[in-house]
Amino acid sequence: MEEAICAIATPYGVGAISIIRTSGFKSIENVNKIFKGKNLLKAESHTISYGHIVDDGNIIDEVMVSIFRAPKSFTTEESVEISCHGGIFSTNKVLEALLKNGFRLALPGEFTKRAFLNKRIDLTQAEAVMDIISSNNNIALKSANNSLRKSTTILIETLREKLLTLIASIEVNIDYPEYDDAITMTNEIVIPNLKQLIAEMNIILEHSQISKIAIHGIKTAIIGRPNVGKSSILNILLDEEKAIVSSIAGTTRDTIEAELSLGGVTLKLIDTAGIRETTDEVEQIGISRSKKAISEAELVLLVLDNSEELTLMDKELLEITKNKKRIIIVNKQDLNKKINLDMDYIKLSVKDKNGLHDLEKKLIEITKINEFNLDDQNYLSNTRHIAKMNEALNSLNIALKACKNNELIDMIEIDIKNAWQALGEIIGDTAPDLLINELFSKFCLGK
């Protein structure tokens, strides 16, 4: 990582200022070659110098240059930040001058990657940087800042320490059974430890699912057969005519996406084409997409018609969504009731705008959003972290089952080590290079 890198760190476009950042071997010396002003080689760390950037003797821009000497920088390397006027052309000319004088263009996320590789931050903190940038509500922003302050790291390290203690005890018993003071790691001793860890991780994952909804929202599909009022419900929730409403079956030919907040929950809504048997080729494509939306949805709003008896298609939709998180909505309460449904549902009348409050309460109940406490910090908010925690939990459940089947303790230890490793991948302690490269490739240039 001795190569000196540079990149524009501010959004591309015209603005008040643009910032170009550099990092790496001889960064200060290389910038000094094109800087007309104070000798930057003599400048103290964390100081700003006024001057001009020159190229082939020509002044390109009037700038302020900030110096960060190693290891007291974001990357822990020698770093320089150049504040230019915010013109696209002039900023690119400054960047070109740097590229001609010892720098190469940074890869996406390379500054943060260097901070991680130089142990300035761990992997969860690196991801928190991107989470801060992409946050779109106060909960998401606060959660990302918590991770940046190592709350996630502390949570994971605590679990890994408990696993490591268990692994170490097993190793002592396997390698040095002749020691009188070595703990005999029988299944009776391992099982309680595994049960405790599994219980802790289940609680974390339960909290994490709620936090994920609170921070990122929930992918929600509005489904039902044609003319039950799906598009009307979408429009009334959005308070705009997002979808075409018509009494003609099959009007909605494709999925329509929108986003709204209801009861403190962000719904990433997909209004799907009405599902029915049809010979219309275009409508068939829409129905196929609707079925895909159902499979991918985290929450299903299944809409039925109060003024009609349950059809075979209604019953089929009730069946295929029975294992999904769902809310059944019986629309058209302003019409005479003909439906016969012996399960919990929300009564709604789009025409009279009645029932929205009940829908909101049901949404809060089913997502448990009111149980979310951002200050608790006993949760994960990152999808990758949740997946790795599930992987670790699965390994511990396998180990627990093996214990109950009286399998060899050294075989059980393998699954416990797998859990320890999976948790390590969350913070980057055991993460493979391929994962590291993939994660940082999603960062923006200059970050």
Side-chain angles (χ1 to χ4, degrees), residues 132-151:
I132 288 174
I133 293 170
S134 61
S135 60
N136 55 15
N137 58 56
N138 286 330
I139 294 175
L141 181 60
K142 188 172 181 180
S143 176
N145 274 303
N146 285 343
S147 291
L148 195 59
R149 292 195 299 270
K150 302 195 75 169
S151 63

Side-chain angles (χ1 to χ4, degrees), residues 10 59 93 102 117 143 149-150 156 270 280 287 294 313 321 403 411 415 440:
T10 43
I59 292 177
K93 292 298 287 184
L117 294 175
S143 176
R149 292 195 299 270
K150 302 195 75 169
I156 297 303
I270 305 171
D280 186 300
I287 291 171
I294 293 172
M313 184 56 67
T321 61
C403 284
M411 299 302 295
D415 290 310
F440 287 106

Side-chain angles (χ1 to χ4, degrees), residues 266-280:
T266 299
L267 299 180
K268 296 181 177 181
L269 285 170
I270 305 171
D271 177 28
T272 62
I275 298 177
R276 64 170 182 167
E277 295 297 330
T278 179
T279 57
D280 186 300

Side-chain angles (χ1 to χ4, degrees), residues 33-44:
K33 294 175 185 176
I34 60 171
F35 180 70
K36 185 178 181 181
K38 178 180 179 178
N39 185 353
L40 299 178
L41 296 176
K42 297 180 180 179
E44 295 183 7

Side-chain angles (χ1 to χ4, degrees), residues 411-442:
M411 299 302 295
I412 294 167
E413 184 193 17
I414 293 173
D415 290 310
I416 299 173
K417 283 182 175 179
N418 288 340
W420 180 81
Q421 177 143 349
L423 292 177
E425 288 190 34
I426 294 177
I427 57 177
D429 189 53
T430 58
D433 290 342
L434 188 62
L435 170 64
I436 300 299
N437 293 333
E438 174 66 19
L439 284 174
F440 287 106
S441 70
K442 296 176 181 178

Side-chain angles (χ1 to χ4, degrees), residues 290-447:
S290 294
K291 291 180 178 179
K292 182 181 178 183
I294 293 172
S295 67
E296 294 178 350
E298 298 166 301
L299 172 66
V300 168
L301 303 183
L302 173 54
V303 185
L304 303 173
D305 190 336
N306 180 63
S307 66
E308 297 180 10
E309 294 181 0
L310 285 175
T311 66
L312 287 175
M313 184 56 67
D314 289 330
K315 293 175 182 178
E316 183 180 336
L317 290 173
L318 285 166
E319 178 64 25
I320 65 176
T321 61
K322 67 179 182 181
N323 294 322
K324 303 275 297 185
K325 187 176 291 185
R326 74 178 179 186
I327 299 175
I328 299 173
I329 301 171
V330 177
N331 189 29
K332 303 185 182 181
Q333 291 294 318
D334 50 299
L335 301 178
N336 291 330
K337 179 179 178 181
K338 290 186 179 180
I339 195 169
N340 183 18
L341 191 63
D342 59 350
M343 56 183 68
D344 185 35
Y345 61 86
I346 300 297
K347 296 179 180 179
L348 187 67
S349 172
V350 172
K351 183 178 179 181
D352 300 331
K353 296 187 177 181
N354 291 330
L356 288 178
H357 181 63
D358 291 334
L359 176 58
E360 184 176 316
K361 286 200 303 183
K362 187 64 176 178
L363 186 62
I364 293 171
E365 176 191 326
I366 202 167
T367 60
K368 300 181 180 179
I369 196 71
N370 57 335
E371 297 179 16
F372 179 61
N373 180 7
L374 192 57
D375 294 322
D376 181 12
Q377 298 185 17
N378 192 34
Y379 67 90
L380 304 171
S381 59
N382 184 288
T383 303
R384 186 184 72 85
H385 301 169
I386 293 172
K388 282 296 169 185
M389 176 72 79
N390 272 308
E391 185 181 320
L393 180 61
N394 183 56
S395 292
L396 292 187
N397 278 319
I398 292 172
L400 181 60
K401 184 178 179 181
C403 284
K404 292 178 178 179
N405 290 336
N406 294 316
E407 294 184 18
L408 293 173
I409 193 67
D410 48 351
M411 299 302 295
I412 294 167
E413 184 193 17
I414 293 173
D415 290 310
I416 299 173
K417 283 182 175 179
N418 288 340
W420 180 81
Q421 177 143 349
L423 292 177
E425 288 190 34
I426 294 177
I427 57 177
D429 189 53
T430 58
D433 290 342
L434 188 62
L435 170 64
I436 300 299
N437 293 333
E438 174 66 19
L439 284 174
F440 287 106
S441 70
K442 296 176 181 178
F443 280 47
C444 53
L445 282 171
K447 200 63 197 167

Side-chain angles (χ1 to χ4, degrees), residues 146-187:
N146 285 343
S147 291
L148 195 59
R149 292 195 299 270
K150 302 195 75 169
S151 63
T152 302
T153 303
I154 293 168
L155 179 67
I156 297 303
E157 284 181 342
T158 301
L159 289 171
R160 293 189 84 217
E161 284 173 11
K162 292 177 181 179
L163 283 170
L164 197 59
T165 299
L166 185 58
I167 292 168
S169 299
I170 293 172
E171 290 284 351
V172 167
N173 185 250
I174 292 172
D175 295 338
Y176 306 104
E178 69 277 10
Y179 284 11
D180 293 335
D181 58 346
I183 300 173
T184 303
M185 295 304 296
T186 62
N187 288 349

Side-chain angles (χ1 to χ4, degrees), residues 195-325:
K195 284 184 174 179
Q196 181 184 350
L197 283 161
I198 287 169
E200 285 183 43
M201 290 166 72
N202 274 321
I203 291 172
I204 292 169
L205 285 169
E206 186 179 344
H207 289 181
S208 298
Q209 290 303 324
I210 301 171
S211 74
K212 184 182 173 185
I213 292 171
I215 294 167
H216 303 293
I218 185 167
K219 189 182 291 186
T220 307
I222 306 177
I223 69 165
R225 57 185 172 82
N227 274 358
V228 292
K230 300 184 301 299
S231 297
S232 297
I233 290 173
L234 175 67
N235 288 339
I236 197 172
L237 289 173
L238 292 171
D239 198 24
E240 64 173 290
E241 296 298 313
K242 180 84 172 180
I244 299 172
V245 177
S246 168
S247 60
I248 302 172
T251 299
T252 303
R253 297 297 188 93
D254 202 352
T255 55
I256 298 172
E257 299 185 15
E259 190 170 303
L260 64 93
S261 180
L262 187 65
V265 182
T266 299
L267 299 180
K268 296 181 177 181
L269 285 170
I270 305 171
D271 177 28
T272 62
I275 298 177
R276 64 170 182 167
E277 295 297 330
T278 179
T279 57
D280 186 300
E281 187 175 347
V282 176
E283 191 178 354
Q284 283 177 343
I285 294 172
I287 291 171
S288 176
R289 291 181 180 179
S290 294
K291 291 180 178 179
K292 182 181 178 183
I294 293 172
S295 67
E296 294 178 350
E298 298 166 301
L299 172 66
V300 168
L301 303 183
L302 173 54
V303 185
L304 303 173
D305 190 336
N306 180 63
S307 66
E308 297 180 10
E309 294 181 0
L310 285 175
T311 66
L312 287 175
M313 184 56 67
D314 289 330
K315 293 175 182 178
E316 183 180 336
L317 290 173
L318 285 166
E319 178 64 25
I320 65 176
T321 61
K322 67 179 182 181
N323 294 322
K324 303 275 297 185
K325 187 176 291 185

